[in-house]
Amino acid sequence: MSEFQSDKSVTQSEALPTMGGDSHPNDGDMNHNDSSNNYELLANTTSNTHHHPHPEEVAAPSWVSNPSTNISYNNHHRAPPPPPPHYYHYPPHHHPHHPHHSLSTTMEVTNGLDRFGRPYVETKSAESLIRVQNYVDEDIPSDRAQLWSKIIETRRILANHNVDEGNNVELYPRSWTPSSSQHNVNDSDDDGHSASYFTVAQFNTLAKGLSTGPNNLFPTPFLDTDSEFHYGNYGGFTELTKPEVILDFDWLRKWRLLEVMLGGDDACMTGDDRLKSSALFDILALEEVDEYHSFFEPILVKDGCYDGIYQPKPYSPCVRFGWYSDGVALLWKTEKFKVIDDECIDADGNSKELVVKGSFEGGAAYRNQVYIIVPLQIKGTDKCIVVAATHLKAKGGATNEQIRQSQASELRRRSEQMADELKELGWTEVNILILGDFNSEPDSESVRSILCEKGDWKFRSAAANDYDDSYTTWKTRKNGTTRRVIDYIFHTGEDGLQCKEVLSIPSDEMLERTYLPGFRYPSDHLLVAAKFHAGVSRRNDQLPEASNSPFEWLTNFQSLRHLVLPSYIVGDVSPPPPSSIGSASHKHTMRLNALHVGCGTSTVGESLLCLREKDVCGNRLQYGHVVNVDIDKDALGVMQNRWRQRELQTQQLDDITLGVMDWRYLDFKSEESCRLALDPLYRNLVQPLPNNSNNELGGYFDLVLDKSTLDCLLCSETDVVSVFLCEVYRALRIPTSRSESSLDADYRHSSGGVYVLVTFHPLEFIQQLLAELPGAHLEIEYEVIKRKADIVNTIDALEVDEVVSGKNQSEFDPETYLPPASSAWISGSFSPDENYRKTITVFTCRRLPNPKQEESNQTYALDRQLVREHIESTCDKWYQTTSPMVTNEREATLRLDFQNAILSQQRAESSLKEEKVTLDLKTCYELMFTEEEKQVLPFDYFIEDWEAYCQNLRRGEDFPRQGMTINTAIDFLKEMQ
């Protein structure tokens, strides 16, 4: 609730003292009394007894299953008296509590049970009373698919009730439009670095405790015995046709709020595409949140992609009416942002945290509003943003506007102070975002206090327009209709933080007759959002110019093209389903999904998406979704921007629809990183396996393309290689049998996914590694091709690469024999010949059914421990027996070289034996490696390997790290191999 406008007069004896805080719109201005009266009133209201239903006794409302049900209500309906205090009071205990600013630090913390037997925590002092849930709702979905099932079911129920509006319950369509705050923005400086682009949303959710009806049972003792609000009048929204449906939080509205928060009203995503997307907004500020711990946090934070902070109000009006405290929440995507936890010293020389949350300064009328300020680093850059979220004092009048102006000024001052502290800590690229429900219009003093030019920081407002004839809230209550702009996104930055686009405001004609909230929107406030770019990163400026250009490792796409043609990947292609015959196109298009691992700045993903095949048994084949993953966020940003620019330059193509290109950060050193990057795809876009008791996810990709990523990881730790191979296998589509009954409904090919590996490792070694992979069932073939390089400097329009089946114009000549690539290791030394690395081996590994499992019992995953043991065993066998680096001859030669070096340095007179004499690292390097090996392993790399060797073996302090003995040198070489 944002505006509290009423002509009703409430005397001191009729209302609970509110510390000058928010009140319900049907209540008038509250006079502030001595705070000691608060708990006297609590004691006076708990003398009656009443039956308190267990949660099992409370069934779903009748209108959930019966749209014809119509619950009548009036504002004078009397609810049951409040429950007695004994049902929730436990022996109090104390623990350290983060105090609010300007509030008493003496806090009494009590654990209790509400009327439904659910635990909650009550924190009170002489000036505050906070009640928050200590439980999680039972209907929290276990994954994204279940979440969207809840949302879809909510739509269905709402549609059944919205007969007057033609059963239309779609969220109001909105689109991204250029921001009017784009002043002095030089687009030529826009490097398109993906990490520097982010979206921000501000949303007042309309608290459950301020919008309940007469049939909603308040969970905790209410304090306002004389106010009519605790009986429930649906927030005073008098014109709603079915308020019991529209405002029912527990069964409907909470899922509708999540749909908005996840970007469901972004018109750029239509239909069910919304359900397949991850959360749209990178930063999300929420107000009037009174179900944070029980509902929003378990979904968005604990099991979602956000991290967040919640700050309840010291004396929420919801608590007065028997509900839980409402407050402000600030959330940010963990894949995009990291909280800056640098140590900061205050004026007294004490260490303090940078994150700040609490109440505003001043008297009781000021302190019931709260704020959160968090310093965030944009991952992959050296930029940081101070983000502040708040909900300022409600109700009209000069006095309340003066309070809001003071609160806004304090919030700006605290945000600027944090930004200045970050600069003192060495952060040079710092900006500020201030988000919130200000309860004031654009020409108010409180808004001017943010936008006025003073000091070193200058703020702008991100708005869909210049506020002319706009609104962020539009509602009707008994005192009339109000239409106002009171929700804002303020930002600093001339050249630094640039607002590119904002989410449009629905036109007047779109809204329902009763405005907000309604069947098509769950709150009395619109979510407002903006897209920002944080400017050119210094990290990018320091990169050489060539790093921003595409680079093809090992070979170009054309040399691999014949091995990734859709018809080759699909294998067995049958004629299209009968439903497609006789259509306008007379063709059925089959779209494949591809995962490009370790993409770097390769253009392979672009080439795959442009590749088309026609006349394949009456089908058209193409790649519909290409996902590029890499650990280098800068490279991902460069290529994402390149793709955008190519799309902009592409004219309309006849009879063609481009697929979806996706970039995701993924570090195979972390299983969690794999889950964050790929599990949303598997969860939302792949049908669950039958008998999937372990909730395994995977099987989305027809092609996994690897240009030497496995090669690089094999030079790393075994654990990383095992994670990589398990993730590759998990990603591959599981082969299925084809049934005629399934063709029309979901036409997919039955072949398993294909892992295409481009490698310079020895043929026999890779064969052993993949063919004997525990639990995997792969059909493995290989081909040796010539390496071909490309230099791509232009960003031109996209062109279709169309192939007619059977007429592939590939330069590959299958009659031309190419020998397998040589490992270049002969008798324990690196001796490359003239053909070394002029050819590479390409493995195609098609996933096959597990012959030991029925089709209904197939699994995605491999046993990671078995895979790890297999990798270790294969590597040990190859490098210690088949192709060792340290042969008997090399070891004998090295011992002789060390002995001669010792003699030449006149160390022979030492009392130590020769095997205990240490040579400096530079001398060791010269003795240990041939000239060819030094080209592959420069001295700097040698030092890195040496430091890793010392650390991994956990040598003691007496271990000579500045040199090697002969025995140490030989052991080091054996570990290197």
Side-chain angles (χ1 to χ4, degrees), residues 256-272:
R256 199 67 161 159
L257 289 169
L258 277 177
E259 184 179 3
V260 174
M261 294 176 192
L262 295 175
D265 53 354
D266 178 7
C268 298
M269 295 184 292
T270 58
D272 289 340

Side-chain angles (χ1 to χ4, degrees), residues 188-359:
S188 64
D189 292 337
D190 184 352
D191 66 347
H193 180 43
S194 65
S196 298
Y197 280 95
F198 59 92
T199 53
V200 176
Q202 146 63 30
F203 189 30
N204 183 316
T205 65
L206 178 59
K208 171 184 175 180
L210 298 179
S211 57
T212 57
N215 293 290
N216 296 114
L217 297 174
F218 46 88
T220 67
F222 59 84
L223 309 182
D224 200 346
T225 55
D226 294 321
S227 171
E228 66 183 23
F229 177 67
H230 73 268
Y231 306 123
N233 68 350
Y234 295 114
F237 298 104
T238 56
E239 299 300 314
L240 298 184
T241 54
K242 289 191 175 182
E244 72 279 1
V245 178
I246 293 171
L247 295 176
D248 187 277
F249 186 92
D250 291 324
W251 290 92
L252 296 178
R253 196 163 69 86
K254 63 183 182 181
W255 305 112
R256 199 67 161 159
L257 289 169
L258 277 177
E259 184 179 3
V260 174
M261 294 176 192
L262 295 175
D265 53 354
D266 178 7
C268 298
M269 295 184 292
T270 58
D272 289 340
D273 288 341
R274 296 172 179 169
L275 313 188
K276 300 174 184 178
S277 66
S278 59
L280 178 65
F281 306 111
D282 299 310
I283 296 175
L284 189 57
L286 306 173
E287 296 82 47
E288 289 198 23
V289 179
D290 56 353
E291 297 284 330
Y292 181 77
H293 296 298
S294 60
F295 182 70
F296 292 113
E297 183 185 34
I299 293 179
L300 296 174
V301 177
K302 292 182 179 178
D303 296 325
C305 59
Y306 289 99
D307 197 357
I309 294 178
Y310 175 65
Q311 179 62 44
K313 294 177 181 175
Y315 213 106
S316 166
C318 299
V319 172
R320 294 167 46 215
F321 307 132
W323 302 92
Y324 290 106
S325 301
D326 80 298
V328 173
L330 183 59
L331 309 172
W332 57 90
K333 275 190 180 178
T334 54
E335 68 176 6
K336 179 76 73 170
F337 297 100
K338 174 184 179 295
V339 177
I340 298 173
D341 54 3
D342 296 358
E343 184 177 357
C344 188
I345 307 300
D346 62 18
D348 299 325
N350 300 317
S351 176
K352 69 173 184 178
E353 291 184 358
L354 287 173
V355 175
V356 177
K357 64 175 185 175
S359 300

Side-chain angles (χ1 to χ4, degrees), residues 549-552 603 642 790-796:
S549 300
F551 174 74
E552 294 299 339
T603 60
R642 171 185 164 82
D790 271 343
I791 298 178
V792 183
N793 293 321
T794 61
I795 301 179
D796 50 3

Side-chain angles (χ1 to χ4, degrees), residues 586-632:
H586 299 284
K587 301 291 182 183
H588 182 275
T589 299
M590 184 186 298
R591 293 178 175 84
L592 279 64
N593 307 316
L595 175 65
H596 185 194
V597 294
C599 61
T601 56
S602 168
T603 60
V604 163
E606 301 176 10
S607 300
L608 284 174
L609 213 55
C610 293
L611 189 58
R612 305 287 186 271
E613 274 191 285
K614 63 181 182 179
D615 296 335
V616 183
C617 294
N619 297 278
R620 290 180 176 176
L621 277 63
Q622 65 186 67
Y623 287 94
H625 189 188
V626 176
V627 179
N628 304 275
V629 297
D630 201 279
I631 195 174
D632 188 341

Side-chain angles (χ1 to χ4, degrees), residues 463-724:
N465 50 48
D466 291 324
Y467 303 118
D468 295 335
D469 196 33
S470 188
Y471 66 95
T472 62
T473 182
W474 193 351
K475 69 198 75 175
T476 298
R477 292 196 176 106
K478 68 178 182 179
N479 292 322
T481 299
T482 58
R483 170 186 169 130
R484 308 171 65 197
V485 173
I486 57 177
D487 300 274
Y488 300 94
I489 298 175
F490 299 113
H491 64 97
T492 59
E494 292 286 342
D495 299 322
L497 197 58
Q498 303 167 5
C499 180
K500 295 293 188 179
E501 295 176 307
V502 295
L503 202 58
S504 65
I505 301 298
S507 64
D508 297 4
E509 295 77 15
M510 290 183 184
L511 292 192
E512 298 175 67
R513 177 181 56 82
T514 54
Y515 309 114
L516 304 174
F519 282 104
R520 299 186 64 185
Y521 215 78
S523 176
D524 56 340
H525 289 245
L526 287 174
L527 177 144
V528 294
K531 286 184 178 180
F532 286 95
H533 181 250
V536 180
S537 172
R538 287 191 296 111
R539 178 174 296 185
N540 276 353
D541 291 344
Q542 295 168 356
L543 293 174
E545 183 177 353
S547 67
N548 288 330
S549 300
F551 174 74
E552 294 299 339
W553 178 244
L554 287 187
T555 193
N556 62 16
F557 177 77
Q558 285 301 316
S559 64
L560 303 171
R561 179 171 172 267
H562 63 288
L563 294 174
V564 295
L565 284 173
S567 60
Y568 183 84
I569 299 302
V570 169
D572 177 26
V573 181
S574 296
S579 60
S580 67
I581 304 298
S583 62
S585 64
H586 299 284
K587 301 291 182 183
H588 182 275
T589 299
M590 184 186 298
R591 293 178 175 84
L592 279 64
N593 307 316
L595 175 65
H596 185 194
V597 294
C599 61
T601 56
S602 168
T603 60
V604 163
E606 301 176 10
S607 300
L608 284 174
L609 213 55
C610 293
L611 189 58
R612 305 287 186 271
E613 274 191 285
K614 63 181 182 179
D615 296 335
V616 183
C617 294
N619 297 278
R620 290 180 176 176
L621 277 63
Q622 65 186 67
Y623 287 94
H625 189 188
V626 176
V627 179
N628 304 275
V629 297
D630 201 279
I631 195 174
D632 188 341
K633 293 183 177 180
D634 290 331
L636 293 173
V638 167
M639 296 311 293
Q640 187 170 8
N641 183 56
R642 171 185 164 82
W643 177 254
R644 285 201 201 100
Q645 295 183 53
R646 293 195 73 187
E647 282 186 308
L648 291 175
Q649 295 189 36
T650 301
Q651 301 298 321
Q652 183 67 34
L653 301 177
D654 295 336
D655 198 26
I656 198 69
T657 301
L658 288 176
V660 177
M661 185 77 79
D662 198 358
W663 287 266
R664 295 174 183 242
Y665 169 81
L666 196 157
D667 182 359
F668 286 106
K669 293 181 179 179
S670 166
E671 292 187 40
E672 181 183 4
S673 178
C674 298
R675 295 292 183 263
L676 290 174
L678 299 177
D679 276 12
L681 293 174
Y682 303 147
R683 185 177 296 116
N684 297 328
L685 303 179
V686 181
Q687 290 292 333
L689 287 174
N691 304 320
N692 187 6
S693 59
N694 295 326
N695 295 319
E696 292 182 10
L697 299 173
Y700 178 64
F701 294 101
D702 304 284
L703 167 67
V704 176
L705 181 59
D706 172 7
K707 288 176 62 181
S708 202
T709 299
L710 179 60
D711 289 340
C712 297
L713 296 180
L714 283 168
C715 301
S716 180
E717 299 176 2
T718 305
D719 286 336
V720 182
V721 184
S722 65
V723 170
F724 175 79

